[in-house]
Amino acid sequence: MRGVFILLLLALAIGAALILFALRAPKITDTGKFSTLSREGGLLLNNVLLACSCAVVFFGTLYALFQDMVTGEKITVGAPYFNQTFLPILGVLILAAGVGPFLAWKSAKLPDVLRRCRTTLVVTAIVCILIALLTGVRDPVGLLGVAIAVWLAVATSMDLARRAGLPGVSLLTALNRLRGLPSSAWALYIGHTGLAIAAAGIVAISVWRIEAIQLQKKGTPVGVGEYQFTLMDVSQASGPNYQATVATAKVERNGKIVTLLFPERRWYPVEQNATTEAGISTRWHGDLYAVLGDPNGSDGFVTLCYYNPGVPWMWFGVLLIAVWGLISLADRRLRIGAQGRIVTPSALQPAE
Amino acid sequence: MRKHVRFIARILPCLAMLMLPIAGAVQALEPGEMFDDPVKEQRARDIGRSLRCLVCQNQSIFDSNASLAKDLRVLVRERMKAGDSDEEVIEFVASQYGSYVLLEPPLNSYTYALWIAPVIFILLGAALAIQFRRRNKVSRHNELSGAAREAAQRILRGGN
């Protein structure tokens, strides 16, 4: 079943891409000249980096298989490989995404770009120092991750403010200008904001994740960062085709109840298979996450309690990117272009 | 053609395998195994996260509840009690189970291609981009001369 599903997914993704390419390839022609330091140059760098990161994931995923087929040597290519190869490329891509909007179409002026980069750098540095002081993060890799996400967020909001005419105009004029921006411009700002939010989420869960694994008795609180997880009650329940052990866990912060979690252990008698259903509560800053393990003795259970910061940010950021990508397709220029045939301009003619 | 079909037939189950770890978080590490010293416990977990459970689908022995994973966790802790450093523990397990057990592939003749590949991809991408730029360079002839530029800027400013 899973194989069929994956086959269909591959057919859809690869088939659709190939058909689109076959239909459109003859129509793709050079339509303009541009200098290396320009928005077009930035988009070229964007495509190169995205293609490289795809290639790394593809190669790393299938390498163990190739190696086994060719030499018979069995190796494992796990998460650490992808963390060390994919993430640096992604980091450079996010830094570059901050600079991209600073570049003018066709030809950008280097001093102008550098001046705006310098302002962004100063603001980013201040924000990062504040974050480091407030949260106590000293790990250099973690700080680098924070800096990358903050860089993109600062660069994007500063470029948006510039487009609105700030700080030279009144707030009302600025809002009016923002309303007048085409949806493709909004796609840029919201897409990049989404990328910054998703990056911040990824950094948050790698730097600030807290886990606690223990044998927990009913009524005894377990500290997970600022939260206390208390196992309140464990009861039996039955679903359509399974029996379940459902726990009620209370989560408190500073003595106040934050939420109740209901982690489950399920037993499917037909399949002779046990599964666990985590109890998850999503807050704006992260997920509170509890897993119920094996019973141990009379009233004790093995429990796993996590605070996973940034998880909702990852989902929300990626969703923003996808939704505004779709909305940008509704840009007026693209709609008008679709009605008639696009006339490709012929090569530059000498003036006579 | 037959060869291609056979190749795809081999690839597909492997791709399917990649999807498996999604099947629910499972409780793995048991409190009975744990060290009292939190620093030592953290070390044991980090080592556990870098070792593959041999009967699982690309899951670490820390994340897996298979009995073999538990045996390996206990082995890791025994080696740590014997005074091994992190590297020595990992080396010991790899010498017993082969480099298949290492989630981070070691650098050797089998993996040179793997570790060099990202650099090759970046260089290839850069080479293609540079070649594309050569074809598409703004030629100096298209730029306006000084007088023409001034005239154009006058028009842009609204004057004649």
Side-chain angles (χ1 to χ4, degrees):
Chain A
M1 191 55 215
R2 184 184 284 123
V4 174
F5 175 74
I6 291 171
L7 194 62
L8 282 175
L9 199 66
L10 281 179
L12 200 71
I14 299 172
L18 280 180
I19 288 171
L20 196 63
F21 183 69
L23 290 175
R24 300 293 293 267
K27 290 181 189 158
I28 299 173
T29 47
D30 296 345
T31 53
K33 308 279 181 186
F34 60 89
S35 68
T36 307
L37 190 74
S38 63
R39 186 70 70 84
E40 287 90 340
L43 289 170
L44 184 61
L45 178 70
N46 171 66
N47 291 351
V48 167
L49 289 176
L50 280 178
C52 282
S53 53
C54 279
V56 166
V57 171
F58 177 77
F59 194 73
T61 307
L62 295 184
Y63 186 81
L65 187 74
F66 287 133
Q67 190 61 260
D68 187 20
M69 283 164 78
V70 176
T71 64
E73 174 80 2
K74 286 194 186 301
I75 62 160
T76 296
V77 182
Y81 172 79
F82 295 102
N83 287 345
Q84 286 168 50
T85 53
F86 177 80
L87 285 185
I89 299 176
L90 195 70
V92 173
L93 182 71
I94 294 175
L95 285 177
V99 184
F102 296 169
L103 304 171
W105 291 100
K106 297 289 178 192
S107 177
K109 292 195 182 74
L110 186 61
D112 203 34
V113 177
L114 284 181
R115 185 177 48 77
R116 297 176 66 186
C117 282
R118 208 155 44 223
T119 323
T120 310
L121 192 65
V122 171
V123 178
T124 304
I126 294 170
V127 174
C128 286
I129 290 169
L130 280 179
I131 290 177
L133 288 179
L134 287 176
T135 62
V137 181
R138 296 291 177 269
D139 166 37
V141 180
L143 276 179
L144 182 67
V146 170
I148 288 174
V150 171
W151 165 268
L152 181 57
V154 169
T156 306
S157 30
M158 285 186 39
D159 193 54
L160 184 62
R162 192 196 54 91
R163 276 292 273 277
L166 294 172
V169 297
S170 73
L171 206 62
L172 200 67
T173 322
L175 282 176
N176 264 329
R177 283 200 189 173
L178 288 183
R179 258 216 332 254
L181 285 181
S183 62
S184 63
W186 276 114
L188 162 70
Y189 294 117
I190 294 184
H192 279 195
T193 306
L195 184 59
I197 291 173
I202 292 167
V203 170
I205 192 163
S206 9
V207 179
W208 290 295
R209 177 176 211 240
I210 305 171
E211 66 179 14
I213 303 170
Q214 63 280 310
L215 185 65
Q216 200 174 2
K217 283 198 189 317
K218 275 186 208 166
T220 319
V222 164
V224 181
E226 296 186 341
Y227 297 93
Q228 286 85 42
F229 286 59
T230 313
L231 191 60
M232 302 292 286
D233 183 44
V234 180
S235 61
Q236 301 297 319
S238 57
N241 59 343
Y242 61 85
Q243 283 128 33
T245 311
V246 187
T248 307
K250 181 175 71 174
V251 183
E252 287 169 307
R253 182 166 181 261
N254 299 332
K256 283 191 205 122
I257 294 188
V258 176
T259 185
L260 290 176
L261 300 174
F262 303 97
E264 282 182 34
R265 287 171 64 74
R266 287 182 184 172
W267 171 250
Y268 294 82
V270 178
E271 292 174 45
Q272 291 286 301
N273 194 12
T275 63
T276 57
E277 296 286 316
I280 306 173
S281 168
T282 302
R283 338 291 303 170
W284 68 267
H285 47 82
D287 283 356
L288 297 163
Y289 191 110
V291 179
L292 184 67
D294 290 321
N296 194 306
S298 52
D299 56 350
F301 278 85
V302 174
T303 57
L304 288 78
C305 307
Y306 298 94
Y307 172 53
N308 292 334
V311 171
W313 290 42
M314 292 196 303
W315 290 104
F316 181 65
V318 174
L319 206 67
L320 269 188
I321 296 171
V323 169
W324 279 88
L326 281 176
I327 290 176
S328 76
L329 293 177
D331 193 286
R332 195 158 169 273
R333 284 173 296 179
L334 292 174
R335 271 193 320 237
I336 292 170
Q339 283 164 4
R341 269 199 171 283
I342 297 166
V343 184
T344 39
S346 50
L348 291 172
Q349 300 290 323
E352 284 177 324
Chain B
M1 192 59 209
R2 284 277 301 268
K3 229 177 166 180
H4 284 112
V5 172
R6 237 183 317 159
F7 175 71
I8 291 169
R10 283 200 71 171
I11 295 267
L12 279 179
C14 298
L15 287 174
M17 265 162 38
L18 293 173
M19 314 278 286
L20 271 179
I22 299 166
V26 194
Q27 164 260 330
L29 181 64
E30 289 163 31
E33 305 166 14
M34 283 161 43
F35 286 119
D36 291 331
D37 176 9
V39 178
K40 229 174 172 183
E41 177 57 33
Q42 191 57 47
R43 269 181 59 204
R45 287 184 193 181
D46 289 341
I47 295 175
R49 284 196 175 94
S50 69
L51 295 172
R52 177 182 190 157
C53 160
L54 295 152
V55 295
C56 310
Q57 318 293 354
N58 221 341
Q59 235 181 352
S60 75
I61 61 168
F62 175 79
D63 291 320
S64 170
N65 63 343
S67 60
L68 182 92
K70 183 180 173 168
D71 294 346
L72 275 174
R73 283 198 300 270
V74 172
L75 177 67
V76 164
R77 280 148 207 272
E78 273 169 10
R79 297 304 308 175
M80 283 178 66
K81 270 181 214 156
D84 282 10
S85 70
D86 295 9
E87 290 77 26
E88 281 165 346
V89 175
I90 290 171
E91 240 168 65
F92 177 78
V93 178
S95 71
Q96 300 285 306
Y97 293 89
S99 57
Y100 186 66
V101 80
L102 302 173
L103 279 172
E104 176 174 342
L107 190 63
N108 60 34
S109 60
Y110 292 112
T111 58
Y112 284 143
L114 179 69
W115 284 107
I116 204 80
V119 182
I120 303 262
F121 290 142
I122 294 278
L123 290 178
L124 203 68
L128 284 173
I130 288 168
Q131 199 207 4
F132 177 76
R133 288 297 310 134
R134 286 234 173 93
R135 266 188 307 158
N136 226 358
K137 197 123 196 151
V138 180
S139 63
R140 288 273 146 199
H141 306 291
N142 290 342
E143 286 191 358
L144 295 176
S145 65
R149 177 182 287 268
E150 269 168 34
Q153 274 173 350
R154 227 178 12 253
I155 293 166
L156 280 173
R157 275 197 300 269
N160 297 311

